[in-house]
Amino acid sequence: SFNSLNHDMTLTEFKFIWYMEYSHRMWGRVVGLAYILPAAYFWRKGWLSRPMKGRVLALCGLVCFQGLLGWYMVKSGLEEKPDSYDIPRVSQYRLAAHLGSALVLYSASLWTGLSLLLPQHKLPETRQLLRLRQYAHGTTALIFLTALSGAFVAGLDAGLVYNSFPKMGERWIPDDLLAFSPVLRNIFENPTTVQFDHRILGIASVTAVTALYLFSRKIPLPRRTRMAVTSLLAVAYMQ
C-alpha cells in the first residue's frame, strides 16, 4: 500500500491513522471488560434471575463475537490480492457484518437496561395498538437494513461516485446501475448500485418514521411512548 499508493504519506499522517485504529480496539476492549466483569460479579452475588442469566450470557457472547468479527474484517484489508493494484480496503461484506453485529449488541443492551429501569406499561391490546407495534417493528427492520447498506457504501467508497441529490449526475436512474453480471452482484459490489440502494432505503426510512409518527398521533399513548416516537422523528430528520 505504501509503495504503490501512499509513498508521499508523512509519519505524522500515518500516526493519525494508527492511533484511530488503536483507540478503536482499546475502546472495544474497555467496553468488553465494562460488560463482562460486572456481569460476573452480579452472577456470583446471585442478583440475576434465571431469564436474565440467559440474556447476560447471550450478550457476553455477542461482545466476544463482535471483537472476533472486527479482527476478521481488518484481516481482509491486509491480504495481498494477486494482480490487483486497487486501493487496499476491507471487505464490504465483513464491514457490514461488523456494523450489524454492533447495532444488534447496542440495541439488545439498551433494551435490557430500559426493561430493568422502567416499568412496563400495561396497555389495552386494541387493534390500533397492535398495528402500531407491528409497524414499529417493520420500521426498525428498515432502519437496520439502511444502516447495513451504509456499510457497503463505506466499504466500496461508493459515496464518491455521485455527489448530487436527488439526481445521480444528470439522471434519476444511472446508466451503470446493472453493469455487473450476474445481476445480484450489483447490489453488493457495484458502487453505483450500492449508493442508489442506500439513497432509496434512506428515503424509505424517513418516510416510514414520519408515517409511524402520524399514525401514533391518532392513538392514546403514555407520555413516555409519545416522547420516544417524537425523538425518533427528530433523529431521523437530523440524520
Side-chain angles (χ1 to χ4, degrees):
S1 172
F2 180 79
N3 290 335
S4 58
L5 289 159
N6 300 313
H7 48 265
D8 57 342
M9 179 182 276
T10 64
L11 184 62
T12 308
E13 287 169 336
F14 173 76
K15 278 182 177 178
F16 175 75
I17 294 170
W18 192 89
Y19 278 116
M20 285 283 281
E21 171 68 18
Y22 182 73
S23 59
H24 180 70
R25 288 180 185 212
M26 288 301 113
W27 188 254
R29 286 165 189 168
V30 168
V31 168
L33 289 173
Y35 193 92
I36 291 164
L37 293 179
Y41 177 73
F42 296 149
W43 190 299
R44 194 175 171 82
K45 283 282 188 182
W47 294 347
L48 302 175
S49 65
R50 194 178 172 86
M52 188 51 68
K53 280 182 178 178
R55 195 178 285 196
V56 162
L57 277 178
L59 286 170
C60 281
L62 201 52
V63 166
C64 297
F65 177 68
Q66 176 64 9
L68 193 68
L69 260 182
W71 166 81
Y72 184 60
M73 178 193 77
V74 170
K75 186 174 174 284
S76 69
L78 301 173
E79 289 165 355
E80 285 287 340
K81 297 171 184 70
D83 307 319
S84 172
Y85 301 98
D86 194 12
I87 297 168
R89 56 161 68 98
V90 298
S91 158
Q92 68 272 29
Y93 297 102
R94 297 184 195 184
L95 178 61
H98 189 50
L99 176 67
S101 173
L103 288 173
V104 169
L105 175 61
Y106 178 75
S107 302
S109 301
L110 187 66
W111 187 271
T112 303
L114 291 176
S115 302
L116 293 168
L117 290 168
L118 304 171
Q120 195 171 357
H121 286 303
K122 298 292 179 192
L123 300 173
E125 293 286 331
T126 61
R127 200 163 62 87
Q128 273 190 318
L129 190 68
L130 285 170
R131 274 182 64 200
L132 180 72
R133 190 176 292 147
Q134 286 169 347
Y135 194 72
H137 288 158
T139 305
T140 304
L142 184 59
I143 291 167
F144 182 70
L145 191 64
T146 305
L148 283 193
S149 76
F152 280 91
V153 172
L156 289 168
D157 280 339
L160 304 176
V161 183
Y162 292 99
N163 63 358
S164 54
F165 187 85
K167 285 186 176 182
M168 295 176 77
E170 297 298 313
R171 303 174 67 88
W172 289 101
I173 299 172
D175 293 331
D176 53 341
L177 196 66
L178 300 174
F180 290 15
S181 181
V183 174
L184 196 63
R185 254 187 76 205
N186 290 281
I187 298 169
F188 306 108
E189 296 179 16
N190 183 341
T192 300
T193 317
V194 165
Q195 195 196 115
F196 182 79
D197 291 344
H198 189 58
R199 288 175 179 226
I200 298 299
L201 285 166
I203 294 162
S205 290
V206 172
T207 308
V209 169
T210 308
L212 180 72
Y213 173 79
L214 294 173
F215 182 46
S216 75
R217 301 291 293 171
K218 298 176 182 176
I219 307 170
L221 293 170
R223 182 173 170 272
R224 201 169 75 204
T225 313
R226 201 163 290 294
M227 224 165 73
V229 178
T230 309
S231 301
L232 177 67
L233 183 77
V235 169
Y237 275 90
M238 186 168 74
Q239 175 71 356

